[in-house]
Amino acid sequence: MRDTAGAVLVSAKVVLEPSQRQVATDNHGEFRFPNLAPGTYTLTASYVGFKQFITTVSVVSNQTQNVAAMLEVASDSDTVIVTAPRLRGDAEAINIERMSAEIVQVAPAGVITSLPNTNIADAIGRLPSVSLERDEGEGKYVQIRGTEPRLSNLTINGVNVPSVEVTVRNVKMDAIPSNGIDRIEVYKTLAADQDADGVGGTVNLVTPTAQDKPTYSLNGTAGYNPLQNGFWRGGFDGTFGKRFGPGKKFGFLLGGNWDRTNRGIDDLEPSQGIGVLPNGTNIAYVSSEDLRSYEYYRTRYGFVTGIDYKVSPNTSVYFKGLYADFHDFGETRVYTPNAGNIVGGSGSQVIFDNTGSWQYRHYIRRPDQQIFSLLAGASQEISKDVLTYDFAVSRGHNIGGQVFPSTYFSGPSNVTFTEDLSNPNRPKFSATDGTNGFDATQYTVNESDGGSYHATQLNIQGTASYAHNYNAGGHPSTFSFGVKIRNSYSTQRENDNHLSYTGATPFTLASVVGSYTNPTYYNNSFAINGKAYGPASSYGGIQHAVAANAGDFTEDVVGDSVTYAQAFFNADERITAGYLQDVIFIGNLRLEGGLRFDAGSTHFLANTVNNAATGPCFKDPTQVCPGVTPTRQDASYFNPLPSAALQWQFQKDSNLRFVYSRGSARPNIGDLVPATVVDPNQTPYPTVSTGNPNLVPTLSDNFDILAEHYFQPLGIVQAGYFFKELHNPIYPVANLVNNYNGTGRTYQETLSINGPNARLQGIELQWQQRFSFLPGMLNGLGVNANYSYATSHVTFPSGFDGDRGDHPALDRTSPNNYNFNLTYDKSRFSGRFAISHNDASIAAYQWNAGTGAANDPILGLKGPTGDNYFYAHTQFDVQGSYRVHKGWQVVASGLNLSNEVFGFYNGSTIYPVQREYYRPTVSFGMRWTLASEQ
């Protein structure tokens, strides 16, 4: 099945009468009706955006009848559909969604690359009911239908892949480049033949394969961001794909990409607290704040490959692979004013005594986060049956992702501060005694830390499925069953070196100042003596100074040994699943029912640190440390998971879908294993994370109803409702600990627990249409808009956080999410302007009912120690391309034109704990694609 340009049409609807049988074309545009009785049939092929194709086919016994169908666009004004990559992608997406047995949203390559999506998370975030957790100016985690990232599943070509962070289930999707992916599929519902992990939804990334038309493509871009002193970015990618030999039976494709984004970030991180005035009045104030200046250089590179061989018309073998490596490198300089004791205040002013101080630290990050997935398999048709089997290996690793070399300096002490809270987003400390917090000569080194971190997960998976086509009372039906076994092996190691300065003459910050500057930090809001930001160190200079004074530094042998013991774990997990499923077509009804059996067992080895016992230190066996005892623990479960779906085509291009399914979401490995990880550079607070071996999987009963209508020229309108009842939901619990282990800093201790239940419901709306029926220049206009609303509430277990009795939303439920895209495609030009919005959502539950009444403006839920929230996010992006000649295009884009803030707040937006800005990035590039019959 092809269009007039020779490109294959994926998921075209092919109906054969009078057999009542229908199929969708595959990724090669091919379809097959096996085991037909001899006779004459009418074959009808339809594809939204194109005219219908109808032909008569005569079937002869023991012979294969081939049909080559070429579909034409619906009208002359729509010819751009076969030449514009984004419009061709829109058409493919609409038709895949129409023919899918599940509720799914799709973004093909032409749509992915039509906006400046730096990584695959950014592209997924533009689909309905998807919100993003962002970091460093890019999408990181995907949250579907108001659920936390752990409740969404990521597969590559249907293969479960481990997270690069290893300790969590949710995959850090900024590790995967957006270029090189053939199609994104976001499944909102579950079926028996799908993995049960997708309680919120399942993201499947489909890698490209060679088509009959050879493909040669090269793309290159370069861009600029004006923040601080200005940063450049650039990237390129290329693909080669071709079929070889008689009948083009052998296909080979290889693609590669590289991207480098240099970026500065202005970040402010206030520490919100509750103080008491001399008259006994409670006030909210900022006890300290980090003035953070980031210098990042993030590099991604990756490869995709697809090899297949058609052994016969009924048998094919295939190999698919994806490799991605992400170097999230950067440096951060931090000036921190610390307030003294409160002695007075009125209005937005707070006055402190002379016990305030300044600190400075500099840390570098060198995380290497890698993921790959390899899949080999075969599919064989035997008369009425189809047998499919495959084997897959996938791996993720995180090297250096938790331990960053850091050096700390003590600055001026005995400082008298006043605090101005008139602008709550920019609380400002002023030294009334004239102390200059940006005087590098007043800072002396007190600690220098380093070490190593390595976490790895390896998955080995095998699947087999068998489908049998039959007639039930004259109605086409398919019965299928299958089995999947997946083993995963996870490890974590952390080896820290905390060196405290114990000499007599510490070196100063002034002696290690480098060339980096930030002359525009926060628009000079925190300038001292006209200087926007203080002198910044060179970490190479710091390392040389530490080495030159090595004898004056002493390692915390006991603390580092305890950290090593607490962070250590090995975990083995086996998931065994099987399913039974039946599908039957009765006129315009499609009925599907199935039962999945999902069993899991986890075995892990960790350490228990016993302060009441002693033993030799790991870092130095001659010293005495708390006793360490290896702990082994097992966990297992078995869940039957039913599902049922009905699809009713009540008009020619209109469907009504009803779906019920039960899903299961396993706890994060890091939440389950009783290991402890300390991250002093995490935001908005340094964290201490400890596992809970008593966690059990979350079960979810899911109900969906969706009405949809497809129309010409190239359009779709959808409206749906979903409801989820969660059993044993897992909640992240956070407690703020002041002066953690004598560090002088506030840490956030986190632990996950099971709660009794939670409910989530919402609506989804989508409208996509091309206005080619309008006159003149207006017929290039189009719109693609979606909106979702989600609401949820949780019930906490008895005694939780001071016996909280409130019912807040589930963490990560963002009530209102929308995307609005205005498109224009005419002749050689293609453009897209996009607005993307996610409401605020809870990041962690941290309010404690013992603090005070829930409605107290200071001590309550909306006060400075209330639950921790992500800020709402509204971002504007734009991209346009012009086809200069045949396969040559020039491309220009603007990212984050709204200069939207990223960050967190406690309780209310007037209590920020992190606010960072990135400024817009503009890029220009060239694309060349050659795809011609040879």
Side-chain angles (χ1 to χ4, degrees):
M1 199 75 64
R2 300 179 181 276
D3 63 21
T4 53
V8 299
L9 298 177
V10 177
S11 213
K13 183 179 182 179
V14 186
V15 180
L16 195 67
E17 296 292 357
S19 71
Q20 300 184 43
R21 295 170 67 176
Q22 61 175 270
V23 296
T25 55
D26 62 17
N27 287 337
H28 297 281
E30 298 177 350
F31 64 94
R32 183 175 178 82
F33 290 105
N35 202 45
L36 289 173
T40 301
Y41 296 86
T42 299
L43 184 146
T44 303
S46 62
Y47 199 81
V48 177
F50 290 74
K51 295 178 182 178
Q52 218 174 47
F53 174 88
I54 303 175
T55 190
T56 300
V57 182
S58 296
V59 176
V60 180
S61 181
N62 297 319
Q63 293 186 17
T64 298
Q65 181 68 41
N66 294 317
V67 177
M70 181 174 292
L71 275 63
E72 299 178 348
V73 293
S75 65
D76 291 341
S77 60
D78 289 317
T79 55
V80 70
I81 292 177
V82 300
T83 60
R86 186 192 55 75
L87 271 181
R88 193 164 61 240
D90 282 340
E92 180 179 327
I94 287 174
N95 283 279
I96 292 174
E97 292 168 12
R98 178 179 69 148
M99 292 302 294
S100 173
E102 288 75 46
I103 296 175
V104 62
Q105 263 81 41
V106 178
V111 177
I112 296 171
T113 57
S114 67
L115 282 172
N117 297 311
T118 308
N119 61 61
I120 203 65
D122 288 334
I124 298 169
R126 303 187 190 276
L127 294 172
S129 294
V130 177
S131 62
L132 295 179
E133 178 183 334
R134 295 171 170 84
D135 189 26
E136 299 163 16
E138 301 175 15
K140 180 170 70 172
Y141 295 131
V142 168
Q143 299 154 170
I144 303 174
R145 287 182 160 181
T147 60
E148 58 157 314
R150 181 184 58 87
L151 299 183
S152 296
N153 189 30
L154 175 72
T155 60
I156 298 176
N157 299 312
V159 176
N160 293 82
V161 293
S163 169
V164 296
E165 295 174 298
V166 178
T167 57
V168 296
R169 304 282 183 187
N170 40 288
V171 177
K172 191 170 179 283
M173 294 190 192
D174 56 359
I176 303 175
S178 59
N179 293 334
I181 300 299
D182 188 55
R183 186 169 71 242
I184 298 168
E185 301 170 338
V186 178
Y187 290 90
K188 306 289 186 63
T189 57
L190 293 170
D193 61 351
Q194 291 180 289
D195 289 304
D197 308 68
V199 168
T202 295
V203 176
N204 182 45
L205 305 181
V206 180
T207 58
T209 56
Q211 303 296 329
D212 285 351
K213 296 180 64 175
T215 298
Y216 312 90
S217 70
L218 287 173
N219 305 307
T221 61
Y224 181 76
N225 181 292
L227 190 65
Q228 298 177 12
N229 292 294
F231 292 85
W232 289 92
R233 65 154 304 275
F236 60 85
D237 63 270
T239 303
F240 166 78
K242 189 175 182 180
R243 303 201 71 84
F244 301 88
K248 298 183 177 180
K249 292 183 177 181
F250 177 74
F252 174 82
L253 181 141
L254 179 65
N257 57 77
W258 178 90
D259 179 86
R260 171 73 173 259
T261 298
N262 299 325
R263 174 180 290 136
I265 302 174
D266 286 355
D267 182 20
L268 176 68
E269 301 193 6
S271 293
Q272 300 290 343
I274 299 172
V276 182
L277 294 175
N279 63 6
T281 302
N282 293 322
I283 63 167
Y285 81 109
V286 173
S287 59
S288 69
E289 61 183 357
D290 283 355
L291 312 179
R292 297 191 175 205
S293 182
Y294 292 83
E295 178 188 20
Y296 273 52
Y297 24 101
R298 297 158 64 93
T299 305
R300 294 178 190 82
Y301 63 91
F303 304 94
V304 293
T305 188
I307 302 171
D308 68 282
Y309 182 72
K310 299 177 181 178
V311 180
S312 70
N314 299 332
T315 303
S316 61
V317 295
Y318 51 85
F319 174 84
K320 299 180 180 181
L322 178 145
Y323 172 90
D325 203 300
F326 179 32
H327 292 174
D328 189 11
F329 291 0
E331 300 193 35
T332 306
R333 287 90 171 174
V334 188
Y335 277 94
T336 306
N338 301 295
N341 300 306
I342 296 174
V343 295
S346 63
S348 60
Q349 304 295 311
V350 183
I351 303 171
F352 304 95
D353 65 13
N354 65 347
T355 58
S357 64
W358 280 87
Q359 293 174 306
Y360 175 87
R361 79 178 185 276
H362 182 173
Y363 65 88
I364 60 174
R365 48 182 297 141
R366 298 292 184 268
D368 175 10
Q369 298 168 342
Q370 180 194 99
I371 187 171
F372 74 75
S373 175
L374 303 175
L375 169 69
S379 178
Q380 185 175 8
E381 295 183 10
I382 309 168
S383 184
K384 299 181 179 181
D385 306 323
V386 178
L387 175 63
T388 303
Y389 41 91
D390 57 48
F391 176 79
V393 177
S394 54
R395 182 180 182 272
H397 80 215
N398 182 10
I399 299 174
Q402 295 291 122
V403 177
F404 304 149
S406 306
T407 300
Y408 299 80
F409 293 80
S410 298
S413 58
N414 300 321
V415 181
T416 302
F417 284 115
T418 61
E419 182 175 78
D420 182 0
L421 300 174
S422 58
N423 181 352
N425 292 331
R426 301 188 180 191
K428 185 175 181 179
F429 286 88
S430 298
T432 58
D433 58 6
T435 300
N436 181 1
F438 290 163
D439 182 356
T441 64
Q442 300 303 305
Y443 288 82
T444 56
V445 69
N446 62 59
E447 183 179 340
S448 189
D449 303 335
S452 62
Y453 177 87
H454 196 139
T456 303
Q457 181 174 324
L458 175 69
N459 286 0
I460 300 175
Q461 172 181 306
T463 66
S465 64
Y466 193 86
H468 174 70
N469 297 299
Y470 69 101
N471 282 312
H475 301 293
S477 306
T478 301
F479 174 75
S480 60
F481 62 91
V483 64
K484 173 183 283 189
I485 299 175
R486 182 174 81 247
N487 280 11
S488 70
Y489 309 91
S490 306
T491 63
Q492 176 178 265
R493 303 290 186 271
E494 180 176 346
N495 190 355
D496 292 353
N497 298 307
H498 288 87
L499 304 177
S500 297
Y501 186 81
T502 55
T505 56
F507 62 84
T508 66
L509 175 60
S511 67
V512 292
V513 167
S515 60
Y516 171 82
T517 62
N518 188 346
T520 60
Y521 178 78
Y522 250 82
N523 296 325
N524 293 297
S525 294
F526 302 94
I528 298 177
N529 296 335
K531 197 166 189 176
Y533 199 76
S537 49
S538 157
Y539 211 82
I542 288 175
Q543 290 175 320
H544 282 106
V546 171
N549 296 272
D552 292 333
F553 287 88
T554 303
E555 183 176 2
D556 180 6
V557 171
V558 174
D560 290 346
S561 297
V562 169
T563 297
Y564 177 86
Q566 290 180 326
F568 168 90
F569 77 75
N570 293 331
D572 298 335
E573 183 177 60
R574 170 170 290 185
I575 308 299
T576 304
Y579 74 90
L580 305 170
Q581 182 172 278
D582 194 76
V583 179
I584 183 170
F585 290 88
I586 304 175
N588 291 331
L589 292 176
R590 181 188 187 278
L591 302 173
E592 176 183 290
L595 181 63
R596 187 175 187 87
F597 304 95
D598 191 71
S601 60
T602 304
H603 313 278
F604 55 78
L605 170 65
N607 289 321
T608 299
V609 176
N610 183 0
N611 290 310
T614 59
C617 293
F618 166 76
K619 302 287 290 188
D620 181 357
T622 65
Q623 297 191 38
V624 177
C625 280
V628 177
T629 304
T631 300
R632 297 181 183 274
Q633 192 159 337
D634 300 334
S636 61
Y637 65 87
F638 173 82
N639 291 310
L641 306 169
S643 62
L646 180 150
Q647 182 177 342
W648 174 36
Q649 184 180 344
F650 61 91
Q651 290 183 357
K652 178 178 177 294
D653 291 310
S654 302
N655 298 323
L656 190 62
R657 300 173 186 257
F658 300 90
V659 183
Y660 163 76
S661 62
R662 170 166 272 214
S664 173
R666 287 171 277 275
N668 290 326
I669 292 293
D671 291 339
L672 192 63
V673 175
T676 299
V677 175
V678 180
D679 187 350
N681 294 306
Q682 188 59 266
T683 58
Y685 295 102
T687 58
V688 183
S689 303
T690 303
N692 177 5
N694 298 315
L695 291 174
V696 298
T698 298
L699 295 178
S700 175
D701 288 304
N702 313 300
F703 302 86
D704 287 83
I705 180 171
L706 178 73
E708 55 191 1
H709 176 69
Y710 302 89
F711 49 86
Q712 305 286 11
L714 192 60
I716 178 177
V717 60
Q718 291 181 323
Y721 167 79
F722 60 88
F723 176 86
K724 298 178 183 293
E725 179 83 33
L726 303 182
H727 311 279
N728 297 313
I730 296 174
Y731 304 144
V733 181
N735 294 306
L736 298 179
V737 181
N738 295 321
N739 193 27
Y740 174 79
N741 277 1
T743 59
R745 302 176 65 197
T746 298
Y747 274 63
Q748 187 183 65
E749 288 186 331
T750 63
L751 178 73
S752 292
I753 65 168
N754 283 111
N757 59 70
R759 289 183 175 179
L760 172 69
Q761 60 183 323
I763 59 171
E764 297 175 331
L765 304 173
Q766 182 181 15
W767 172 42
Q768 182 177 348
Q769 187 169 9
R770 174 169 159 74
F771 302 122
S772 58
F773 53 82
L774 294 176
M777 296 295 293
L778 296 178
N779 64 18
L781 287 171
V783 65
N784 186 344
N786 59 72
Y787 168 79
S788 66
Y789 174 77
T791 180
S792 63
H793 77 266
V794 302
T795 300
F796 293 123
S798 177
F800 175 83
D801 270 1
D803 204 16
R804 286 180 63 165
D806 60 313
H807 297 277
L810 275 166
D811 61 301
R812 311 305 177 90
T813 295
S814 176
N816 293 283
N817 298 282
Y818 60 80
N819 291 278
F820 178 82
N821 297 265
L822 184 64
T823 62
Y824 190 85
D825 300 271
K826 191 172 180 65
S827 185
R828 296 171 180 262
F829 178 79
S830 181
R832 184 177 177 187
F833 172 75
I835 302 174
S836 180
H837 172 82
N838 302 143
D839 267 0
S841 63
I842 293 177
Y845 304 110
Q846 66 182 23
W847 182 73
N848 192 296
T851 305
N855 61 355
D856 188 291
I858 302 298
L859 306 178
L861 280 165
K862 299 300 182 181
T865 59
D867 292 332
N868 186 237
Y869 287 80
F870 289 98
Y871 274 104
H873 189 94
T874 304
Q875 182 169 313
F876 301 163
D877 305 306
V878 65
Q879 181 167 299
S881 64
Y882 183 80
R883 184 163 50 89
V884 180
H885 178 71
K886 292 186 177 179
W888 286 97
Q889 295 181 65
V890 291
V891 183
S893 66
L895 176 68
N896 188 29
L897 300 180
S898 50
N899 190 26
E900 186 68 338
V901 68
F902 166 81
F904 302 82
Y905 63 88
N906 290 345
S908 304
T909 55
I910 61 172
Y911 302 122
V913 291
Q914 181 181 9
R915 289 179 64 86
E916 59 184 37
Y917 288 93
Y918 314 100
R919 298 285 294 275
T921 299
V922 294
S923 298
F924 301 89
M926 181 75 72
R927 291 177 179 167
W928 174 71
T929 302
L930 173 65
S932 59
E933 287 288 358
Q934 295 184 358

